[in-house]
Amino acid sequence: MNKKYDLEIESLNLDQLDVEELEHRLEMAVANAAPVICYSNSSCDTKSVVNPG
Amino acid sequence: MSTCPEAFSLHAELAAVQVILADLQRRWPDDIALEPERKSDYYKLPYLFREAFPALAGPELRPLAVFCKLYAGSILLHDQIIDGGLVDGANRSAITTSSLRLMAMHAEAYHQLHTLFPAGAAFWDRLRSYVAAYTDACLAEKRFAAGDRPWPEYTEAEALRIVIGKNGPARIIAAAMVELARDERMLEPLLDVTNAFNVATQMWDDLQDWKEDLRQGTPTLLLARLIPERPAGLDGKAGPDLVKQLARELYYGGHARHVLELVLTALDQAEQLQHAIPDLGLYAVTATLRRKCEALYVDIERIVRANVQRARDQPRLALVAAGAGAAGHDLVSGALRYLETQWNAGFGEARDLIQYPEELGFAPAETCHFGDVFQRALVTDTLCDADAVLDGRLQPIIEREASYLVSQRAVSATGGWCYYADLPELPPDADDLAQVMQVLIRAGRRDEVARHGEPALAVLLRDNCHPDGSFETWIVPASGRRTPLEERHAKLVERVWGVGPDCDVIPNLLYALHLYDAARFADPIRDGARYLEAQQRADGTWTSQWYAGPYYAIYVCLRMFDAVAPASPAVARALRALRDTQRSDGGWGLEGAASDPLATALALLGLAAGQRACADHADPSRAARGIEYLRRTMESDGGWPSHALIFKGFGAFHGSRTLTTAFALKAALAWQDRRAGASIAVAS
């Protein structure tokens, strides 16, 4: 992990940092991922291919 | 083994596999479905390896493809059973049916293999070892999930061992194809490739499903990095906060990035045969996954760094409510508190994200575009309303937001603002122009409207207006005046973005023009207002192209008419539409849906805008009931739920808690006694 990056975070209150956009971005990646090969995890669901969401 | 491979068609092969499955299905009871419910590229695995065995023809692989679909489908079904997904008080018979389906799928799957491999073939020993390894990996995973083994022992090495163990099905396919082709040379390389690919997909899956895994107590490499012990207390009141805390750690602690790096490293390994077998079908799948990971990685890094920078550099705002209890005050102070939180966090919650299909010819499909200009302009407009009540104490925020909006202007001769500032294919539009103009005017920055807004306004009024007083939403110069990018804009407006004037955009710009310079723009304002009068429907509403439901369009039209033509007959009709659709709970809502705070706020704003021209004695009571509905639906953090507002195309709408809250606050301020605002203190 980038050391400079760590020090910046350490001096901040994590509660101040937004996660909504990050979570939304991850949801976009999930929603638009083709159902690749996910046989080994039962919680892997089929998602729609085109979902600007 | 065929010596003359026929022309191969994956589509034809998959269709043939389905025919075989359908024939097998006829031999089983109806409830024993052999077809897996879940789709997966995994079912095509024999075809993804085909290029490693060029002597094998497509039809030779069909029994293997049937096996693959049945076996992989049975594993997905099996996972559902052992993870308890089917344990439901009302549906326990599903377990019996599913267990019997497993038996049937296995029976038919192994029967396919028996048609290919005689009893003494080396393949069978390999199959046994791979299935045994699979069961061992599943048991190891379950011991952690059940708490029989402590989470600290779920190291990265152990996680990868389990993932590779669970790669049994792909190993079986590799061994089967080696046996069919009688080419032992490919076994170890293919096993390496499939193991690595399984690691990549499992890591990707762990990132996607981390919350579900957390809820179920399923150990993963990612969760083991996030928390030292098996999670507890998720079902309690503190659960949501704990998940939020872990989410912050996931991104800002670098764990999401680490897992994505593992995916990419595993993909490097999976692609090791690319120099020898460049056309291996699997590589189309790995390439897609690689692009998704890389795009996600870049965006996570950028967002994290921007948020860290903001937390360091942006002054924090703290609103303290004093004298709570005044009528309407708790709603206003709560909403302000929520917007304060979002401003401190950089309005990430309000930001719109979109990915466009590759067929449109934009950036690769994995590229995500971000838009927050319109949203932040709407919020800042509300903050300007609040600032008037707070005697100017929100000026520091308004100033910074106005500067941000200016920074997001389109850098071109036409200028203006685009809904997704990072999407070059999107032209500037009249709605963003209107909203930003209003904020800059209210923030005392008319000079920046002149500098950055007037060029776009000039193009719109010169090239995008119609004789009926309407104008286009998209600002694109006329043919002969365009840059190459603007030529592209013009084509995309025809093909994708849509031509024609929009009744939910025109009033917003007319209002902005009125605020900016009513005399100078008297003609387009007058003509535009007349156009909107003519477009109003018999029920008092307008067609809304860009906004969910009728209330946004009604509000912006009424606001415009109140400013420029309060005597218009359109006002009375629109107000009647609002009055007639208020519900018994005091709220408003979209057709066929329950009342919602966003529709209610917009309706209240419309009602307020029409008071000067066409007040009704019952309007204060209507408004009071609407405000009371908003008060009841306000959440504990002072915000309201997200509801669909802005149409994004492809059938999707954007909404956010921030936008709903901004409109709710604006509505509350529009109807509230101004004296209540004096009791809200601001500190920074």
Side-chain angles (χ1 to χ4, degrees), chain A residues 6-24:
Chain A
D6 283 348
L7 290 173
E8 281 182 319
I9 304 264
E10 277 172 16
S11 65
L12 298 170
N13 179 355
L14 265 194
D15 286 349
Q16 299 171 14
L17 299 170
D18 178 61
V19 289
E20 303 275 0
E21 187 179 9
L22 289 158
E23 296 205 296
H24 193 180

Side-chain angles (χ1 to χ4, degrees), chain B residues 280-518:
Chain B
L280 193 68
L282 182 69
Y283 291 148
V285 182
T286 59
T288 300
L289 181 56
R290 179 183 291 280
R291 286 196 304 269
K292 288 182 199 311
C293 284
E294 286 172 346
L296 179 61
Y297 186 100
V298 164
D299 283 343
I300 286 178
E301 279 287 274
R302 181 182 55 74
I303 295 168
V304 163
R305 288 190 185 283
N307 288 348
V308 167
Q309 179 106 15
R310 178 185 312 105
R312 207 182 52 214
D313 299 342
Q314 177 175 289
R316 285 183 66 79
L317 175 77
L319 288 169
V320 177
H329 171 69
D330 56 346
L331 192 155
V332 170
S333 63
L336 277 169
R337 196 177 318 118
Y338 178 83
L339 291 178
E340 151 209 318
T341 303
Q342 294 310 313
W343 185 75
N344 287 329
F347 286 126
E349 192 273 342
R351 203 158 291 118
D352 191 4
L353 279 63
I354 196 167
Q355 288 175 315
Y356 285 105
E358 198 147 11
E359 302 88 74
L360 288 180
F362 299 169
E366 296 77 25
T367 305
C368 202
H369 302 286
F370 297 78
D372 66 359
V373 167
F374 192 72
Q375 292 82 345
R376 289 169 78 159
L378 283 170
V379 173
T380 309
D381 177 66
T382 295
L383 293 179
C384 289
D385 292 354
D387 193 54
V389 177
L390 290 170
D391 299 324
R393 283 169 288 185
L394 292 177
Q395 279 302 306
I397 299 184
I398 292 168
E399 270 302 304
R400 286 182 82 100
E401 286 301 293
S403 294
Y404 174 77
L405 293 174
V406 170
S407 77
Q408 296 300 298
R409 66 191 183 279
V411 182
S412 65
T414 301
W417 283 265
C418 305
Y419 187 78
Y420 295 110
D422 62 358
L423 179 60
E425 288 84 359
L426 192 68
D429 66 87
D431 215 5
D432 277 89
L433 176 64
Q435 202 58 54
V436 173
M437 279 178 67
Q438 289 169 46
V439 168
L440 293 179
I441 292 164
R442 299 186 74 182
R445 297 165 78 147
R446 300 177 74 92
D447 57 324
E448 285 181 302
V449 176
R451 194 157 48 244
H452 305 302
E454 286 223 24
L457 205 50
V459 170
L460 181 74
L461 296 177
R462 182 193 66 210
D463 297 339
N464 303 139
C465 271
H466 300 295
D468 61 3
S470 69
F471 46 82
E472 296 288 311
T473 290
W474 306 107
I475 304 175
V476 181
S479 181
R481 300 174 188 264
R482 298 172 187 156
T483 64
L485 180 58
E486 286 167 338
E487 285 294 348
R488 187 149 158 72
H489 286 168
K491 286 190 173 66
L492 286 168
V493 166
E494 293 277 340
R495 196 161 71 92
V496 179
W497 309 130
V499 295
D502 298 307
C503 294
D504 44 7
V505 169
I506 291 173
N508 204 18
L509 185 65
L510 296 181
Y511 181 67
L513 293 178
H514 171 79
L515 290 182
Y516 186 46
D517 194 330

Side-chain angles (χ1 to χ4, degrees), chain A residues 1-2 4-6 8-9 11-47 50-53, chain B residues 38-42 75-76 79 83 166-167 197-198 201-202 205 207-209 211 244 248 251-253 257 285 292 295-296 299 304-305 307-308 312 316 345 348 351 353-355 366 368 370 648 650:
Chain A
M1 198 181 299
N2 184 300
K4 178 170 180 293
Y5 178 66
D6 283 348
E8 281 182 319
I9 304 264
S11 65
L12 298 170
N13 179 355
L14 265 194
D15 286 349
Q16 299 171 14
L17 299 170
D18 178 61
V19 289
E20 303 275 0
E21 187 179 9
L22 289 158
E23 296 205 296
H24 193 180
R25 180 59 184 93
L26 181 59
E27 283 167 22
M28 295 285 297
V30 169
N32 287 309
V36 178
I37 291 181
C38 52
Y39 61 91
S40 61
N41 188 319
S42 66
S43 61
C44 174
D45 288 325
T46 303
K47 308 288 185 193
V50 176
N51 181 9
Chain B
R38 288 185 177 148
K39 292 185 176 54
S40 176
D41 276 352
Y42 188 79
I75 287 179
L76 291 171
D79 281 348
D83 284 344
K166 290 178 79 175
N167 192 33
F197 184 64
N198 201 46
T201 56
Q202 185 60 64
D205 196 50
L207 181 59
Q208 292 179 50
D209 295 326
K211 286 185 184 175
K244 207 79 161 176
R248 287 198 179 92
Y251 296 107
Y252 296 98
R257 190 177 62 224
V285 182
K292 288 182 199 311
L296 179 61
D299 283 343
V304 163
R305 288 190 185 283
N307 288 348
V308 167
R312 207 182 52 214
R316 285 183 66 79
R351 203 158 291 118
L353 279 63
I354 196 167
Q355 288 175 315
E366 296 77 25
C368 202
F370 297 78
K648 301 159 57 131
F650 306 100

Side-chain angles (χ1 to χ4, degrees), chain B residues 90-380:
Chain B
N91 198 22
R92 288 184 183 273
S93 69
I95 298 176
T96 304
T97 306
S98 294
S99 300
L100 292 170
R101 283 183 64 201
L102 276 183
M103 288 171 56
M105 291 164 95
H106 277 207
E108 293 294 357
Y110 287 122
H111 185 260
Q112 294 297 314
L113 293 180
H114 281 293
T115 66
L116 292 173
F117 308 116
F123 165 77
W124 294 108
D125 284 335
R126 287 173 178 157
L127 178 140
R128 182 191 295 110
S129 72
Y130 301 147
V131 176
Y134 177 81
T135 59
D136 184 61
C138 288
L139 288 170
E141 191 177 56
K142 280 302 159 195
R143 285 187 199 105
F144 283 106
D148 297 337
R149 279 185 74 183
W151 270 41
E153 288 183 12
Y154 200 87
T155 60
E156 191 160 306
E158 180 69 4
L160 292 175
R161 187 187 76 78
I162 289 172
V163 168
I164 290 172
K166 290 178 79 175
N167 192 33
R171 294 186 193 179
I172 293 171
I173 297 299
M177 292 181 78
V178 161
E179 187 88 25
L180 273 179
R182 295 187 193 136
D183 187 355
E184 288 289 319
R185 294 172 304 166
M186 288 308 306
L187 181 63
E188 289 307 318
L190 266 188
L191 290 181
D192 283 345
V193 164
T194 63
N195 285 344
F197 184 64
N198 201 46
V199 168
T201 56
Q202 185 60 64
M203 295 299 107
W204 174 250
D205 196 50
D206 287 352
L207 181 59
Q208 292 179 50
D209 295 326
W210 76 271
K211 286 185 184 175
E212 182 59 25
D213 290 334
L214 181 72
R215 194 185 65 77
Q216 293 196 356
T218 305
T220 66
L221 187 153
L222 178 58
L223 285 184
R225 287 175 64 96
L226 272 183
I227 46 178
E229 292 296 338
R230 195 162 180 271
L234 288 171
D235 295 331
K237 280 178 72 172
D241 285 341
L242 175 61
V243 173
K244 207 79 161 176
Q245 215 176 306
L246 289 174
R248 287 198 179 92
E249 180 60 31
L250 171 74
Y251 296 107
Y252 296 98
H255 305 292
R257 190 177 62 224
H258 178 76
V259 167
L260 287 171
E261 286 168 356
L262 286 176
V263 175
L264 291 168
T265 301
L267 287 176
D268 287 342
Q269 221 173 328
E271 289 168 349
Q272 62 180 278
L273 285 179
Q274 212 158 19
H275 64 284
I277 316 172
D279 297 330
L280 193 68
L282 182 69
Y283 291 148
V285 182
T286 59
T288 300
L289 181 56
R290 179 183 291 280
R291 286 196 304 269
K292 288 182 199 311
C293 284
E294 286 172 346
L296 179 61
Y297 186 100
V298 164
D299 283 343
I300 286 178
E301 279 287 274
R302 181 182 55 74
I303 295 168
V304 163
R305 288 190 185 283
N307 288 348
V308 167
Q309 179 106 15
R310 178 185 312 105
R312 207 182 52 214
D313 299 342
Q314 177 175 289
R316 285 183 66 79
L317 175 77
L319 288 169
V320 177
H329 171 69
D330 56 346
L331 192 155
V332 170
S333 63
L336 277 169
R337 196 177 318 118
Y338 178 83
L339 291 178
E340 151 209 318
T341 303
Q342 294 310 313
W343 185 75
N344 287 329
F347 286 126
E349 192 273 342
R351 203 158 291 118
D352 191 4
L353 279 63
I354 196 167
Q355 288 175 315
Y356 285 105
E358 198 147 11
E359 302 88 74
L360 288 180
F362 299 169
E366 296 77 25
T367 305
C368 202
H369 302 286
F370 297 78
D372 66 359
V373 167
F374 192 72
Q375 292 82 345
R376 289 169 78 159
L378 283 170
V379 173
T380 309

